[in-house]
Amino acid sequence: MMELTRKGEYAIRGMIYLARQAPGKMALISEIAEATEVPPTFLAKIFQNFAKLGLVNSYRGTGGGFMLGRPASRITLREVVEAVEGPIIPNRCLMGSGACDFDKQCNVHPVWRRVQGQVVQILESVTIEELARDTK
Amino acid sequence: MMELTRKGEYAIRGMIYLARQAPGKMALISEIAEATEVPPTFLAKIFQNFAKLGLVNSYRGTGGGFMLGRPASRITLREVVEAVEGPIIPNRCLMGSGACDFDKQCNVHPVWRRVQGQVVQILESVTIEELARDTK
DNA sequence: CACCTTTAGGACCTGTTTTGTCTTTTATAG
DNA sequence: CTATAAAAGACAAAACAGGTCCTAAAGGTG
């Protein structure tokens, strides 16, 4: 249960790679993909989406590439994970109203909410900058 | 991310239903399935597995059916969830050794461990008995 | 302008997992 | 022996994961 998909894993690795670049330095998909051991075309898809969300900035043509859309210290792990995996929702019931018939009389609901709250809080408290810091 | 599957949802509903029966009273799959709005054959599969694990006791033949394998107060939500969904593991890396090349130098690892710990702790602290209590 | 580089977008594909169904077998009570 | 229920296993549709591939568009460069 609760497994991050490969896409999520790849996304995080890619973002960490970008965070480790010199400020203003552009990184190519091919370069990132190789360094992080991710299939290039797959990573491209992930980053294309991130560009739309503003998590990264992309530039085409010679000398183009990707860089973070914001300082790494202002990008949380939660943002990255939710951008690829969708919202953190342990149970469908927590989504739209009426999604769950048992909504009112269900004691499990509040438990899922607690789980959701805890996980979100943890992921929210971690920035890409921290993750990118040297591990000695 | 982190969504419980239908199977997990069904399993919990089924266990709660059993917990609400008078002690020693047997419940049929057909009866549980109808009450919880779960496809009978699907629920049967889930409970067959639970019987093996001792989460429920099953009896064949006339007057047979299912009952909890232990008092509801000694069955945690964690047990039920892990029985259907497998272990709570936010990232594959947390599994077998060597599953992750980036094992040593990866700052994300400890974050997933925290997530895992929190979720397990929450689910562990909730028993089926609590979930089965009347909601007024 | 022509050409090269690099991302953007979309169609497509394959394998696995989810969410079941159906049929046959086995155990048990009466 | 017969009716009842669960056990077991084969099967299958649909959704999702995890990619690939091809064409287009944008931006430099001579």
Side-chain angles (χ1 to χ4, degrees), chain A residues 31-47:
Chain A
E31 172 196 340
I32 309 169
E34 191 179 11
T36 55
E37 293 176 43
V38 173
T41 58
F42 199 24
L43 185 64
K45 292 295 181 196
I46 297 169
F47 270 30

Side-chain angles (χ1 to χ4, degrees), chain A residues 29 45 48 52 58 60-61 65-66 92:
Chain A
I29 279 288
K45 292 295 181 196
Q48 272 167 34
K52 279 187 204 153
S58 67
R60 304 204 239 198
F66 290 88
R92 301 167 212 258

Side-chain angles (χ1 to χ4, degrees), chain B residues 4-127:
Chain B
L4 195 69
T5 64
R6 257 171 236 279
K7 202 161 129 189
E9 173 76 26
Y10 294 166
I12 296 169
R13 284 198 221 155
M15 291 299 276
I16 291 177
Y17 183 88
L18 283 189
R20 283 180 174 153
Q21 299 313 297
K25 205 224 149 199
M26 215 72 85
L28 300 182
I29 278 289
S30 52
E31 170 196 342
I32 309 169
E34 190 179 11
T36 57
E37 293 177 46
V38 172
T41 59
F42 199 24
L43 185 64
K45 291 294 181 194
I46 297 170
F47 271 30
Q48 272 166 35
N49 186 48
F50 278 13
K52 281 187 200 152
L53 299 172
L55 280 173
V56 301
N57 291 328
S58 68
Y59 305 88
R60 303 204 240 197
T62 312
F66 291 87
M67 50 189 292
L68 291 183
R70 262 178 277 150
S73 58
R74 294 202 293 106
I75 301 176
T76 65
L77 183 55
R78 178 197 180 177
E79 269 186 288
V80 175
V81 168
E82 291 202 321
V84 265
E85 308 274 6
I88 290 165
I89 292 187
N91 191 308
R92 302 166 212 255
C93 301
L94 297 183
M95 288 189 295
S97 59
C100 177
D101 292 352
F102 301 78
D103 208 347
K104 281 289 152 122
Q105 75 274 24
C106 174
N107 288 330
V108 194
H109 259 74
V111 179
W112 295 129
R113 282 208 193 286
R114 275 212 286 155
V115 168
Q116 181 183 42
Q118 283 295 310
V119 174
V120 165
Q121 191 190 302
I122 293 172
L123 298 189
E124 184 88 46
S125 76
V126 176
T127 69

Side-chain angles (χ1 to χ4, degrees), chain A residues 8-118:
Chain A
E9 172 76 26
Y10 294 165
I12 296 169
R13 284 198 221 154
M15 291 299 274
I16 290 176
Y17 183 89
L18 283 189
R20 284 180 174 152
Q21 299 312 297
K25 206 223 148 197
M26 216 72 86
L28 300 181
I29 279 288
S30 52
E31 172 196 340
I32 309 169
E34 191 179 11
T36 55
E37 293 176 43
V38 173
T41 58
F42 199 24
L43 185 64
K45 292 295 181 196
I46 297 169
F47 270 30
Q48 272 167 34
N49 186 48
F50 279 13
K52 279 187 204 153
L53 299 173
L55 281 172
V56 302
N57 291 328
S58 67
Y59 305 88
R60 304 204 239 198
T62 313
F66 290 88
M67 49 191 292
L68 291 183
R70 263 179 276 149
S73 57
R74 293 204 289 108
I75 302 176
T76 66
L77 184 54
R78 177 196 181 181
E79 269 187 288
V80 175
V81 168
E82 292 203 319
V84 265
E85 308 275 7
I88 290 166
I89 293 186
N91 192 306
R92 301 167 212 258
C93 301
L94 297 183
M95 287 187 295
S97 60
C100 175
D101 292 352
F102 300 79
D103 207 349
K104 281 289 154 130
Q105 75 272 27
C106 173
N107 288 330
V108 194
H109 259 74
V111 179
W112 295 129
R113 282 211 191 283
R114 274 211 287 153
V115 168
Q116 181 183 43
Q118 282 294 310

